[in-house]
Amino acid sequence: MHSKIEHLLRYTGTNAISTVVDYTLLLTLTHFFGMPALQSAFAYAVAVVVNYGLTKKYVFVQDMSHKSEHRLFMEFIGTGFIGLVLTAAVVWLTVHVMKMPAVEGKTIAVLLCFVMLYFVRRHIVFNENPANSSAA
């Protein structure tokens, strides 16, 4: 049980750092250049790359030798794209339909993506090497 709690804390920490990168870039770029939709996509993309590095190093550290570095990165980016689509849909729904402030909609989207992407990345992207699990 202890390792599961530590794993969840590591995942939460890496995502918190990535979220700070996302929000900081979004707010800074929007302040200077406007175009919040474009700045939001750019900030999210940068945060996904930061999140990949942190997640690979601190969260999912098991043997990934059954996947090339390129494949691992592309799977992570693919799940990031799913997160981007989900984020855009939730922000649109909360802002344009429910008439909520954009920051509240973005926060709801971040929380939904946090949970959804954890399970997708745990079971698809960073799944354990099957050769190691059959050796037991």
Side-chain angles (χ1 to χ4, degrees), residues 20-82:
V20 167
V21 169
D22 185 0
Y23 274 83
T24 301
L25 280 173
L26 170 65
L27 295 173
T28 302
L29 293 172
T30 301
H31 175 76
F32 287 111
F33 304 109
M35 302 179 292
L38 177 64
Q39 307 311 344
S40 178
F42 178 76
Y44 185 89
V46 172
V48 166
V49 173
V50 168
N51 189 268
Y52 172 74
L54 293 172
T55 299
K56 186 175 175 225
K57 184 171 183 173
Y58 296 109
V59 181
F60 298 107
V61 295
Q62 69 268 18
D63 179 16
M64 295 303 301
S65 62
H66 66 293
K67 292 185 179 184
S68 69
E69 183 69 29
H70 180 261
R71 177 179 168 189
L72 196 62
F73 182 72
M74 294 309 292
E75 287 178 357
F76 195 90
I77 294 301
T79 60
F81 183 74
I82 292 168

Side-chain angles (χ1 to χ4, degrees), residues 39-131:
Q39 307 311 344
S40 178
F42 178 76
Y44 185 89
V46 172
V48 166
V49 173
V50 168
N51 189 268
Y52 172 74
L54 293 172
T55 299
K56 186 175 175 225
K57 184 171 183 173
Y58 296 109
V59 181
F60 298 107
V61 295
Q62 69 268 18
D63 179 16
M64 295 303 301
S65 62
H66 66 293
K67 292 185 179 184
S68 69
E69 183 69 29
H70 180 261
R71 177 179 168 189
L72 196 62
F73 182 72
M74 294 309 292
E75 287 178 357
F76 195 90
I77 294 301
T79 60
F81 183 74
I82 292 168
L84 178 61
V85 170
L86 178 63
T87 297
V90 169
V91 169
W92 180 85
L93 178 69
T94 56
V95 171
H96 297 288
V97 176
M98 300 171 70
K99 306 298 184 201
M100 295 173 68
V103 172
E104 290 178 18
K106 173 81 171 178
T107 301
I108 291 168
V110 165
L111 294 173
L112 287 172
C113 283
F114 175 83
V115 174
M116 190 265 309
L117 289 177
Y118 173 77
F119 288 105
V120 171
R121 289 174 175 161
R122 179 175 173 217
H123 295 290
I124 296 173
V125 179
F126 293 102
N127 58 339
E128 290 190 38
N129 187 340

